[in-house]
Amino acid sequence: MITDKISYSRLVIELARSTFMTFLRPSSTAIDSAISQMRSIGLGALPTASLIAVAAGFILALVLEIQLSQIGKVEVVPSLLWIILTEQVVPVGVALIFAGRSVSAVTAELGSMQVSEEIKALFTMGIDVVPYLLVPRFLGFQIMLPVVTLVGIYASLLGGWLLCGIVLRMGIADYIYYAFDGASFWSVMVALAKSALFAFLVATIAFYKGLNVRNGSREISEATTQSVVGAVIVVTMADAVVTSFQLV
Amino acid sequence: MAGTIAEAKSKLAPMPEAVEPVLEVINVTKTFPNGKTVLNGISFQVLPEETFVILGGSGCGKSTLLNILIGVLEPTSGQIRILGEDLRSLRGDRLKAVHVRCGMLFQSGALIESLSLVDNVHLPLREHYRGMDPDVLFETARLKLRMVGLEEHAAKRPSGISGGMKKRVALARALALDPDLVFADEPTSGLDPVSTREIDEMFIRLTRRIGAAAVVVTHDISSFFRIAHRAVMLGGERDGDLQGQVIMQGCPEDFRASQHPVVRRFFASGESETRNR
């Protein structure tokens, strides 16, 4: 990967091997680096994701209220919100936020390190690029995307309650009762599993595009755009596939 | 956990003692997939503690040769023996063990932008001496920065310093592990004459202090005469069939006295450039 371009499959294999070895023999520097990446990749996305989740919950609740009030079934709005937000909207939405924010940043960072020979410098210092650069970032995505998804689920339910409280004059206790009436632990597990899958996909796309930059700032810009677009497409298609399996 | 760097180094890189020469390049050729041959039958040796310069004009393959020597590119044919080991046969931990005994100074410095200056120098120490007292390693990094006169800037990031300072930090990093062999790619490019002289003198003083051999790629003639014990000149784009081949090897006086037309043209253009600065 220093001069020759790396294939996606080889990248995934190297990443898997290095991540396994990091867990087998963790060092304090690896842990510090992973925590730092969790902070920049995940914590930084938390405010944006939470805000969008509240808005998404509010909007979805509004749409459901309008439709269900026509058949006198507004009391099922909270439980429908739980199912739709938890299993679909929030995991995909958070992954798309990560794609726009963190995938672009990681791609640009790695691309710029290639162009400025920093990656070559690491190689000549006898430092393995994958464990040093990629594994902490991979763990940042893999841990924080599900965490932010979990926070986003509850933020979106809050948004839903804002609508239910204002329009339906539903008290918080009633809202929670109706929401959790339709809720199941399985929905949360589906959300976390999806977000873990999305994290793997968007992270590896960011690494692949960033490490394969070779020539100057124009190519960094192109790679960043391609990685965001690629991540968005892949997340959406992966969600379609996984959701199809749920119906089987 | 405490211990000396020398003790840790001897445990980390269990390699045979360096034999003369520290670097042997034997009939190396490099042809790229587009069919272009940029290096053709290059051979030379670098002896312990000497500063060996690779000279040549544009298109002579100096950078390609350096990338081959540091293991980033593979030659199409030929052999490279570095510190007694055949470079082409080295993989994984054995290649890393060779890298630990070599330092590399890149043309742009190639400092890690996300790390402070002292953390850049500390990085190879931290990665290769994990069992040692972290305070000792950090102090060693500060000492290396002090040797290049930048200790008071230790907390700054590379984006906050000048090009000349970046080269000095990169030199400190290249020498962090007290290497046996240092590679330098155009260490004075982009610098004014005063800074060029400063970097040259610092480079020579510090590499000789640790007893390291050095391989320096440059087209700066004043630097060449200042630092080189011996050199090889490669043919460039303007030298026709001689492009990518060895034109001449020897010590600086041999080059000055040479009547070879390529050598005379190279030095004449370089000296006129120096006069016009």
Side-chain angles (χ1 to χ4, degrees):
Chain A
M1 74 182 73
I2 309 301
T3 48
D4 297 332
K5 295 206 171 188
I6 187 168
S7 67
Y8 183 77
S9 55
R10 191 177 145 222
L11 171 68
V12 169
I13 291 167
E14 290 288 336
L15 185 60
R17 188 181 60 83
S18 297
T19 305
F20 177 73
M21 293 306 293
T22 301
F23 276 109
L24 211 59
R25 280 179 295 179
S27 66
S28 59
T29 47
I31 293 168
D32 288 344
S33 191
I35 290 171
S36 168
Q37 290 301 325
M38 282 162 60
R39 219 178 280 134
S40 67
I41 287 173
L43 281 186
L46 200 53
T48 309
S50 302
L51 201 59
I52 292 174
V54 168
F58 186 91
I59 294 165
L60 184 60
L62 179 61
V63 170
L64 288 173
E65 192 278 330
I66 290 169
Q67 299 303 317
L68 293 173
S69 63
Q70 294 173 13
I71 56 171
K73 287 285 182 186
V74 291
E75 68 278 4
V76 301
V77 167
S79 63
L80 279 180
L81 276 179
W82 171 269
I83 293 166
I84 297 170
L85 290 170
T86 303
E87 293 187 16
Q88 294 302 330
V89 173
V90 174
V92 174
V94 169
L96 295 182
I97 291 167
F98 269 62
R101 185 186 175 280
S102 306
V103 167
S104 58
V106 169
T107 304
E109 186 184 12
L110 292 177
S112 137
M113 289 180 82
Q114 274 287 26
V115 168
S116 64
E117 298 186 302
E118 289 175 52
I119 290 179
K120 204 190 276 190
L122 290 172
F123 173 75
T124 60
M125 284 189 270
I127 295 172
D128 283 328
V129 171
V130 175
Y132 179 76
L133 280 182
L134 302 192
V135 170
R137 286 162 177 78
F138 180 67
L139 293 176
F141 276 101
Q142 210 58 58
I143 293 169
M144 293 310 292
L145 215 160
V147 167
V148 175
T149 296
L150 210 52
V151 172
I153 287 168
Y154 292 102
S156 65
L157 291 173
L158 173 66
W161 176 72
L162 288 174
L163 187 280
C164 291
I166 295 168
V167 174
L168 302 178
R169 303 204 185 279
M170 194 181 281
I172 183 76
D174 290 334
Y175 178 80
I176 292 172
Y177 172 79
Y178 285 119
F180 283 91
D181 190 39
S184 70
F185 185 65
W186 174 250
S187 295
V188 177
M189 294 312 294
V190 168
L192 293 180
K194 277 188 177 180
S195 60
L197 171 64
F198 297 156
F200 171 82
L201 292 171
V202 302
T204 51
I205 288 171
F207 299 158
Y208 174 71
K209 283 294 179 185
L211 287 177
N212 283 327
V213 169
R214 287 292 177 271
N215 301 308
S217 55
R218 187 189 164 98
E219 202 175 309
I220 295 173
S221 160
E222 285 172 2
T224 305
T225 304
Q226 287 168 4
S227 70
V228 172
V229 170
V232 167
I233 291 171
V234 163
V235 162
T236 313
M237 292 181 63
D239 186 55
V241 169
V242 171
T243 306
S244 306
F245 277 112
Q246 284 182 264
L247 295 175
V248 168
Chain B
M1 261 169 83
T4 64
I5 297 271
E7 284 166 5
K9 190 177 167 181
S10 64
K11 288 175 194 160
L12 179 66
M15 295 189 55
E17 286 298 317
V19 295
E20 290 224 20
V22 295
L23 176 66
E24 280 184 277
V25 177
I26 304 164
N27 204 27
V28 161
T29 297
K30 178 65 180 177
T31 303
F32 283 105
N34 62 6
K36 186 167 180 191
T37 298
V38 297
L39 295 170
N40 194 353
I42 309 296
S43 297
F44 60 85
Q45 295 179 342
V46 178
L47 303 174
E49 300 190 41
E50 81 166 339
T51 301
F52 188 90
V53 171
I54 300 173
L55 266 182
S58 298
C60 71
K62 303 190 298 293
S63 295
T64 302
L65 178 58
L66 191 64
N67 279 323
I68 290 172
L69 297 179
I70 62 175
V72 168
L73 282 177
E74 286 213 357
T76 307
S77 64
Q79 193 183 37
I80 294 159
R81 296 190 67 78
I82 184 164
L83 300 169
E85 295 273 348
D86 181 356
L87 189 62
R88 292 185 87 167
S89 69
L90 296 178
R91 295 282 183 272
D93 287 346
R94 290 180 67 218
L95 179 59
K96 241 194 258 188
V98 168
H99 278 145
V100 167
R101 294 179 69 187
C102 298
M104 176 71 198
L105 171 51
F106 289 86
Q107 185 172 349
S108 60
L111 300 178
I112 309 299
E113 289 290 332
S114 57
L115 300 177
S116 66
L117 302 189
V118 69
D119 285 338
N120 262 280
V121 181
H122 182 239
L123 176 61
L125 292 161
R126 186 188 74 196
E127 290 295 312
H128 293 299
Y129 298 129
R130 289 193 177 174
M132 291 201 61
D133 185 340
D135 292 336
V136 168
L137 296 180
F138 200 76
E139 241 348 272
T140 305
R142 292 193 76 93
L143 174 66
K144 299 291 181 182
L145 262 189
R146 194 183 309 151
M147 286 162 63
V148 298
L150 288 175
E151 193 187 3
E152 68 267 29
H153 302 280
K156 289 185 181 172
R157 293 282 171 100
S159 56
I161 60 175
S162 69
M165 290 165 80
K166 283 183 189 174
K167 299 227 186 219
R168 285 151 68 187
V169 178
L171 177 59
R173 187 180 69 183
L175 300 178
L177 300 178
D178 290 343
D180 299 307
L181 178 57
V182 179
F183 295 100
D185 185 8
E186 310 266 9
T188 58
S189 73
L191 300 181
D192 61 83
V194 173
S195 300
T196 296
R197 177 181 276 274
E198 202 176 84
I199 294 288
D200 283 340
E201 287 170 358
M202 191 178 285
F203 185 86
I204 291 302
R205 177 168 46 85
L206 295 180
T207 51
R208 285 173 195 175
R209 185 188 291 190
I210 63 172
V215 176
V216 180
V217 167
T218 187
H219 62 258
D220 187 316
I221 291 175
S222 56
S223 280
F224 162 64
F225 283 114
R226 200 175 289 133
I227 68 174
H229 289 116
R230 290 188 308 119
V232 64
M233 178 180 281
L234 306 182
E237 283 167 345
R238 295 199 184 104
D239 303 322
D241 292 341
L242 295 175
Q243 185 179 9
Q245 294 184 35
V246 172
I247 304 294
M248 180 176 169
Q249 285 195 55
C251 58
E253 292 69 36
D254 296 335
F255 282 87
R256 208 191 285 276
S258 173
Q259 298 301 309
H260 194 298
V262 172
V263 176
R264 288 176 65 83
R265 186 171 61 234
F266 180 83
F267 280 90
S269 58
E271 278 162 358
S272 109
E273 187 186 309
T274 306
R275 275 197 301 274
N276 290 338
R277 278 203 200 156

